[in-house]
Amino acid sequence: MDPERMDPERMDHDLDQLFATARDTAPELPDSLAARMVEDALAVQAEALTSPAVERPVLRIGIFRQFLALLGGWPAMAGLATATVAGIWIGMSPPTILTEGASALGWQSVSGEDAYLVDTMSIFDTLAGEG
Amino acid sequence: MPLDALSNLNDDALLVLYANGDPAAARLLTDRLGPRVYAHAARLIGDRSEAEDIAQEAMLRLWRMAPDWRPGEAKVTTWLYRVTANLCTDRLRKARGGHKGLDEAADPADDSPSAAQAMQDKHRRAALDAALGQLPERQRQAVVLRHIEGLANPEIAEIMEISAEAVESLTARGKRALTAILADRREELGYRDE
């Protein structure tokens, strides 16, 4: 029969009946398949429980990298290098403002070099030597 | 844990117990989910022996995925229907022969309510399976999930990863196509105009 000429409600009804039949007569799980499923489940379970925990790759960091990380990485290292070079330069050729500044602080008679003199033997070392 | 206590748990909880090493959970999950996976595979692929392979593979993937399962995020059945459908699609594409007839020899014996009724039911189911096999894959999947598995559109949408509107459209077109395919077999299937 031409589907176009059929009553849509009747066609829907017939189809619903077919669906109901399909639901009621669902293919049953064969016993052998159920047994294989359980067998797989127990095998996978046993394997998961006996296998060692997944080893994570160990992250090894060299001493230099650790030091670099401690400073704050390459940007901090660049700043440190600049400060070091500037320090050496100031030490070799102290600017006039530095010696004038020292004079202003009360070191009237010192020369430029005197401003950098450091007492390398403190009074505590002397006392310790005397006992 | 005793089987009675386990049977009150939902699939999510059972899967967690399974992942923790409870063998009873494996058996109960197989009892609950195995028949649904197998029936769904059989309806989509139309071949019982292939459906067995697919159902076993789908369940194997479930067992392997169990340790990573996050309870409450999705339904286990939704995940399984999706995996089953994908496996069926892969098989059908590889076969390129499309839908195969149901293996009649594998049908379980059905004595109720009468031999004649049982024969007719079997005949109708085979006709429906054959008609479903002529539908495009997505239409077939949507019709089976909606009208045979009895799922609601939002869950079907989640399984098929499409919108609920798209599910509605697929099932409507699928039903129209089935009606057209089966129209000539109404009398043969025992449907008569009154």
Side-chain angles (χ1 to χ4, degrees):
Chain A
M1 183 183 290
D2 181 1
E4 297 294 325
R5 293 174 56 196
M6 286 173 61
D7 176 9
E9 280 188 20
R10 180 169 298 282
M11 288 158 65
D12 265 359
H13 175 262
D14 290 352
L15 201 52
D16 286 342
Q17 276 200 322
L18 271 179
F19 289 142
T21 303
R23 274 196 298 276
D24 296 342
T25 57
E28 287 178 22
L29 183 69
D31 290 342
S32 57
L33 176 58
R36 289 203 301 276
M37 286 175 173
V38 172
E39 199 176 306
D40 285 347
L42 298 178
V44 170
Q45 194 178 50
E47 191 183 319
L49 292 175
T50 54
S51 63
V54 177
E55 286 185 19
R56 297 181 188 285
V58 179
L59 201 58
R60 297 185 191 284
I61 303 175
I63 290 175
F64 176 70
R65 285 199 171 276
Q66 287 183 44
F67 176 67
L68 193 63
L70 192 70
L71 289 178
W74 282 112
M77 182 60 103
L80 193 63
T82 308
T84 306
V85 170
I88 291 169
W89 178 256
I90 290 168
M92 288 172 66
S93 172
T96 324
I97 191 169
L98 206 61
T99 51
E100 284 176 355
S103 303
L105 287 170
W107 296 340
Q108 298 292 334
S109 62
V110 295
S111 65
E113 286 76 17
D114 289 342
Y116 291 95
L117 287 178
V118 175
D119 180 8
T120 56
M121 183 176 282
S122 72
I123 184 68
F124 299 108
D125 291 336
T126 312
L127 290 173
E130 289 172 354
Chain B
M1 196 181 285
L3 206 60
D4 283 351
L6 283 183
S7 59
N8 294 325
L9 298 176
N10 62 20
D11 298 342
D12 260 0
L14 282 176
L15 203 54
V16 171
L17 278 177
Y18 166 77
N20 289 337
D22 192 330
R27 292 192 177 88
L28 203 54
L29 278 169
T30 302
D31 287 349
R32 268 189 206 175
L33 305 173
R36 295 174 75 170
V37 172
Y38 171 65
H40 191 53
R43 282 164 182 151
L44 292 184
I45 201 103
D47 179 283
R48 300 251 170 132
S49 65
E50 287 217 55
E52 285 199 25
D53 290 346
I54 288 168
Q56 189 177 358
E57 175 64 26
M59 291 299 283
L60 186 60
R61 291 186 184 193
L62 178 71
W63 309 133
R64 287 185 177 146
M65 174 280 298
D68 302 321
W69 183 255
R70 294 180 181 180
E73 281 194 7
K75 285 173 74 175
V76 178
T77 47
T78 302
W79 186 90
L80 264 177
Y81 276 128
R82 189 185 302 153
V83 169
T84 305
N86 288 342
L87 288 169
C88 288
T89 302
D90 288 347
R91 291 272 177 132
L92 288 171
R93 284 182 186 160
K94 274 181 194 164
R96 289 188 177 274
H99 194 79
K100 296 177 180 177
L102 273 178
D103 180 1
E104 298 286 330
D107 275 349
D110 186 2
D111 300 325
S112 61
S114 67
Q117 183 64 47
M119 281 299 290
Q120 190 172 58
D121 283 350
K122 188 173 169 181
H123 193 52
R124 284 178 176 179
R125 200 182 66 208
L128 179 62
D129 282 335
L132 281 169
Q134 293 182 44
L135 298 185
E137 276 174 38
R138 302 286 279 176
Q139 274 183 32
R140 177 163 71 240
Q141 191 185 355
V143 168
V144 167
L145 288 169
R146 178 75 187 89
H147 295 289
I148 303 180
E149 309 290 350
L151 303 185
N153 281 358
E155 189 174 358
I156 300 171
E158 202 178 331
I159 292 166
M160 298 183 71
E161 297 176 300
I162 54 176
S163 67
E165 291 76 19
V167 172
E168 192 64 48
S169 166
L170 280 172
T171 49
R173 280 186 284 146
K175 273 187 82 173
R176 273 201 303 275
L178 282 178
T179 305
I181 294 166
L182 293 165
D184 291 337
R185 301 184 65 182
R186 288 184 74 246
E187 286 192 17
E188 177 197 338
L189 296 173
Y191 299 117
R192 288 183 173 79
D193 292 326
E194 290 165 8

